[in-house]
């Protein structure tokens, strides 16, 4: 593993107005010294853009309070190759964290175009820009002193790549050749693309398979957020597979901690016996390894919503639950084996579900009133 000092580096974070991306930028703003952070997001309307505006305003406010990092935000799309190339040419990024993607399993069934544009073409543009970041070194055209091109590309994969795997917990050594949604297929494709570019162009890449990320200011299409909205309106929530689903929920702070540690540890560049690069490529799970039954999850969520005052003390939970069959594209269980992350970076997600849902409920009460 090649250790990278993050202070003083120039870092690109894609999806910077998104749930995970904004929390990562917040962490970097607080922790780093002398760095330049560029965030990019297309601010699409997949869910309420006002939530993305809220996250950006939080980052702007934090940036105004701090003077240790140069932070810039760019509104733009990864599928715009000219824009991506111009950003790489302007900033000479040392580290790239690609979190921008069209998310959601169910949405991919009805709207496949969005996934091809963002998750496939957008990621390809990032890979190409990383590849060509070293061109100026060879041609002696760069004015940036000691610039070595992109030292590490970290990108978001997903637990969805495991599809309907029966073996649990899910290990990065498991075969993942049978996706059950287009979203999962695009994420597996990202891993294949990254491996190819690591092998051909000696680009250190690390993919992170996230497991059901949740927390304050999260995505409204996620179950915990959607359930809260429905319960508050007096609507019925649907619990799929008749409640016989388990999810390995991971609080967003744990996800960010994992990303930051991985950013600072790139796969080492090495040559094989044939003189060609051994792919500097790695994939890790980031999940707590403690899958929760959906019925237990809903019970904890309800209790924390009452505790925070989002729902009244006398709310009739049973009248607002409906057990329904499994939906297309979904899987019965997600369960992370994060032992590789623990082995290489000394970290395993630890924030328990109740603590995380309590923080979400308190934020929800504050944000929506």
């Amino acid at each position: 593993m090649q250790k990278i000092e993050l202070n003083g580096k120039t870092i690109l974070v894609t999806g910077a107005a998104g749930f995970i991306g904004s929390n990562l930028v917040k962490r970097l703003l607080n922790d780093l010294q002398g760095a330049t952070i560029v965030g990019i997001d297309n601010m699409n309307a997949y869910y309420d853009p006002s939530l993305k505006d809220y996250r950006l305003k939080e980052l702007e406010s934090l940036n105004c309070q701090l003077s240790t990092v140069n932070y810039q935000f760019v509104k733009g799309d990864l599928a715009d190759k000219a824009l991506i190339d111009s950003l790489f040419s302007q900033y000479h990024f040392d580290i790239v964290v690609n979190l921008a993607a069209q998310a959601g399993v169910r949405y991919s069934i009805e709207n496949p175009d969005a996934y091809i544009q963002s998750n496939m073409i957008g990621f390809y543009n990032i890979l190409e820009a990383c590849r060509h970041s070293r061109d100026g070194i060879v041609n002696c055209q760069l004015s940036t002193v000691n610039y070595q091109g992109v030292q590490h590309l970290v990108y978001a994969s997903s637990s969805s790549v495991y599809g309907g795997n029966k073996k649990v917990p899910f290990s990065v050594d498991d075969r993942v050749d049978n996706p059950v949604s287009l979203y999962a297929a695009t994420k597996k494709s990202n891993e294949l693309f990254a491996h190819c570019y690591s092998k051909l162009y000696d680009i250190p890449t690390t993919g992170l398979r996230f497991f059901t990320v949740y927390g304050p200011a999260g995505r409204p299409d996620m179950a915990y957020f959607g359930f809260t909205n429905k319960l508050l309106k007096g609507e019925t929530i649907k619990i799929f597979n008749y409640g016989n689903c388990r999810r390995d929920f991971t609080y967003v702070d744990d996800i960010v901690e994992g990303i930051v540690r991985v950013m600072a540890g790139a796969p080492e560049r090495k040559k094989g016996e044939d003189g060609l690069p051994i792919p500097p490529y790695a994939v890790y799970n980031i999940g707590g390894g403690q899958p929760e039954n959906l019925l237990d999850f809903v019970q904890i969520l309800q209790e924390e919503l009452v505790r925070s005052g989002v729902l009244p003390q006398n709310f009739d939970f049973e009248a607002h639950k409906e057990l329904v069959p499994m939906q297309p594209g979904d899987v019965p269980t997600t369960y992370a084996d994060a032992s590789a992350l623990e082995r290489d970076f000394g970290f395993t997600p630890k924030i328990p579900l109740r603590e995380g849902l309590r923080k979400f409920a308190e934020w929800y009460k504050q944000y929506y009133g």
Side-chain angles (χ1 to χ4, degrees):
M1 183 184 300
Q2 181 65 45
K3 294 293 185 182
I4 300 175
E5 172 57 57
L6 299 183
N7 289 315
K9 292 295 188 292
T10 302
I11 302 168
L12 173 65
V13 179
T14 75
F19 177 36
I20 300 173
S22 61
N23 277 279
L24 174 61
V25 173
K26 187 184 300 183
R27 170 70 180 271
L28 297 177
L29 288 174
N30 275 305
D31 286 6
L32 298 189
Q33 302 284 328
T36 296
I37 301 170
V38 179
I40 183 172
D41 201 293
N42 66 4
M43 302 295 288
N44 67 32
Y46 168 61
Y47 58 81
D48 185 3
S50 66
L51 197 53
K52 300 177 183 182
D53 290 332
Y54 164 82
R55 298 180 189 131
L56 288 181
K57 288 176 182 176
E58 276 200 318
L59 295 179
E60 290 169 5
S61 176
L62 181 60
N63 189 43
C64 288
Q65 298 171 31
L66 304 170
S67 57
T68 56
V69 171
N70 175 23
Y71 169 65
Q72 306 286 332
F73 175 76
V74 177
K75 182 179 179 182
D77 199 306
L78 296 193
D80 184 346
K81 183 174 175 58
L83 172 63
I84 299 305
D85 289 345
S86 69
L87 288 176
F88 273 73
S89 176
Q90 178 181 353
Y91 288 100
H92 307 315
F93 296 114
D94 300 298
I95 300 169
V96 177
V97 185
N98 187 65
L99 302 175
Q102 179 57 60
V105 169
R106 293 164 221 169
Y107 190 71
S108 71
I109 297 172
E110 301 296 332
N111 301 275
D113 285 357
Y115 293 77
I116 300 303
Q117 287 294 317
S118 180
N119 302 10
M120 302 291 286
I121 295 175
F123 188 60
Y124 163 75
N125 288 340
I126 290 292
L127 285 168
E128 275 290 281
C130 289
R131 168 194 172 189
H132 290 293
S133 68
R134 305 181 71 190
D135 289 354
I137 303 168
V138 176
N139 298 329
C140 299
Q141 294 172 349
L142 289 181
S143 59
T144 304
V145 177
N146 296 326
Y147 181 62
Q148 303 173 24
V150 172
Q151 299 175 40
H152 196 189
L153 167 61
V154 181
Y155 62 95
S157 186
S158 168
S159 62
S160 297
V161 302
Y162 291 106
N165 282 18
K166 298 292 191 293
K167 171 189 163 293
V168 291
F170 298 153
S171 167
V172 292
D173 296 322
D174 296 340
R175 292 184 65 88
V176 287
D177 299 329
N178 299 288
V180 297
S181 70
L182 180 64
Y183 171 68
T186 63
K187 287 300 184 179
K188 175 56 181 175
S189 297
N190 286 172
E191 295 179 4
L192 294 173
F193 281 17
H195 185 277
C196 178
Y197 272 70
S198 289
K199 172 61 177 176
L200 292 176
Y201 308 114
D202 206 20
I203 302 169
T205 68
T206 303
L208 300 176
R209 294 174 178 172
F210 300 146
F211 281 69
T212 315
V213 189
Y214 74 103
R219 280 173 33 209
D221 64 318
M222 296 294 285
Y224 68 101
F225 208 133
F227 284 176
T228 301
N229 290 339
K230 287 181 178 293
L231 292 172
L232 195 58
K233 295 175 183 177
E235 298 175 1
T236 299
I237 61 174
K238 294 181 179 182
I239 303 176
F240 293 100
N241 202 29
Y242 305 103
N244 297 314
C245 284
R246 295 192 304 162
R247 291 289 178 269
D248 202 343
F249 294 96
T250 317
Y251 189 67
V252 66
D253 287 1
D254 275 337
I255 291 289
V256 168
E257 178 66 29
I259 294 173
V260 171
R261 292 193 185 210
V262 168
M263 288 170 64
E268 189 174 356
R269 287 176 167 135
K270 296 179 180 179
K271 299 290 185 182
E273 293 180 358
D274 58 2
L276 297 175
I278 298 173
Y281 168 90
V283 174
Y284 296 94
N285 289 333
I286 301 188
Q290 296 181 329
E292 301 278 352
N293 182 277
L294 281 187
L295 290 174
D296 295 335
F297 156 76
V298 169
Q299 182 63 38
I300 295 172
L301 175 64
Q302 292 170 345
E303 291 169 0
E304 293 306 323
L305 292 174
V306 169
R307 179 186 176 278
S308 65
V310 173
L311 295 176
Q313 291 286 339
N314 61 350
F315 189 84
D316 185 357
F317 298 121
E318 294 304 319
H320 295 85
K321 294 179 186 175
E322 180 184 1
L323 302 182
V324 299
M326 182 73 82
Q327 62 183 335
D330 213 343
V331 295
T333 300
T334 63
Y335 185 177
D337 175 356
S339 57
L341 187 71
E342 174 68 36
R343 178 196 67 217
D344 293 347
F345 295 96
F347 175 71
T348 300
K350 296 179 176 62
I351 297 175
L353 182 62
R354 183 175 293 278
E355 179 182 340
L357 288 178
R358 178 168 297 179
K359 292 179 179 179
F360 164 73
E362 291 171 348
W363 169 83
Y364 191 98
K365 175 66 174 177
Q366 179 185 27
Y367 182 75
Y368 289 104

